Amino acid sequence: MIEIAELTKRFGRTIAVDGLSFTVRPGQVTGFLGPNGAGKSTTMRMIVGLDRPTGGAALVGGVAYARHRAPLCEVGALLDAKAVHRGRSARRHLLALAQTHGLPARRVDEVLGAVGLESVAHRRAGGFSLGMSQRLGIAAALLGDPAVVILDEPVNGLDPDGVLWVRTLLKELAAEGRTVLVSSHLMSEMAVTAEHLVIIGRGRLLADTSVDELIARVVVDRTVVRSPRAAELSDLLVRRGARVTSEASGQLQVSGLAVETIGEVARRHDLTLHELTPARASLEQAYMELTGDSVEYRDERERSAA
Ligand code: ADP
């Protein structure tokens, strides 16, 4: 379990993380989502003690990371895949890490196998592609068989096979009862990977919810209507206060009126309907609505900085 309470981090005048509180529970994959610059990496760095909070606390298994006696066996983290000793082979990099925790060389070979790097284990890690570096970073995170796994944008730079592999691995780790926190700026990726979502913008919590709850929260006010007498129906709906756009095919996009009302109006005027479909919110729409302000804010800052 990861417990974040009122966590805050300032860099000079920038507030990267702003009074953030949430809990990450074991047994499920929790997606940590937000636009670029939202504060995801800074939060993860504070969880593993790489950045010191300006305020608040981040606890792993009830204890601050730095106070764990064998942190690699408590928390496995992939934060920056390129942060390896470039001249060392993949195997030597992992062996060096293993030695700091008294883990046997056998464990290094196990994780190299688990991430599919056996055949390049003796190659210099500095020459690895981003995808191979991500795999090596994941191997390092799993080395101590930790109960908590934290991965920052792990599918960046992976080919489609690699993306699928990470997705499956995360689900397996969660099914084993581990706590899994994985960040991404892409809702499309988290929608198929995570069961629970923590969404932040400008360092603040925007949502802490299951994927299903998030979809249910978004009301999308748009109905697709088809009728052989579309023009007549459109006039009637506009008179009731709807906004209507007509397509050449006789299809109408109606907003501002409930789907039930549209059906009633059609029945009362004896207009046949061939379609009456309320649009369902996609997770992507839900995410855009939630984070819209945070993204605009950043755009403004970027413009004024330019
Ligand atoms: P994310 O991971 O969601 O993209 P980050 O945590 O990397 O967001 O960044 C959050 C904010 O903090 C950004 O505005 C970023 O520019 C700023 N920031 C992050 N690290 C530093 C740092 N070491 N010094 C100054 N500003 C930083």
Side-chain angles (χ1 to χ4, degrees), residues 243-294:
R243 292 179 303 282
V244 181
T245 48
S246 317
E247 319 255 321
S249 58
Q251 180 176 296
L252 306 175
Q253 308 267 352
V254 182
S255 53
L257 272 192
V259 63
E260 293 83 358
T261 313
I262 300 169
E264 278 300 314
V265 169
R267 187 190 60 80
R268 223 173 296 141
H269 293 84
D270 213 11
L271 297 174
T272 303
L273 293 184
H274 289 168
E275 182 179 357
L276 183 64
T277 315
R280 204 175 119 84
S282 75
L283 219 46
E284 200 68 42
Q285 283 170 303
Y287 178 52
M288 299 302 269
E289 292 204 3
L290 266 172
T291 59
D293 289 348
S294 340

Side-chain angles (χ1 to χ4, degrees), residues 11-12 14-17 34-43 45 51 152-153 183 200 298 301:
F11 293 106
T14 306
I15 301 189
V17 177
N36 285 326
K40 304 180 296 294
S41 300
T42 305
T43 302
R45 289 175 59 82
D51 270 336
D152 195 4
E153 302 266 3
S183 78
I200 66 169
R298 276 199 59 77
R301 269 199 315 187

Side-chain angles (χ1 to χ4, degrees), residues 33-92:
L33 265 171
N36 285 326
K40 304 180 296 294
S41 300
T42 305
T43 302
M44 289 176 144
R45 289 175 59 82
M46 288 193 280
I47 295 172
V48 299
L50 287 172
D51 270 336
R52 181 191 286 271
T54 311
L59 301 183
V60 182
V63 181
Y65 181 87
R67 303 192 60 173
H68 283 295
R69 287 180 57 203
L72 275 188
C73 302
E74 304 289 339
V75 189
L78 165 66
L79 296 183
D80 178 1
K82 284 291 184 188
V84 296
H85 193 305
R86 299 179 57 80
R88 270 190 194 149
S89 73
R91 189 163 186 278
R92 283 198 53 84

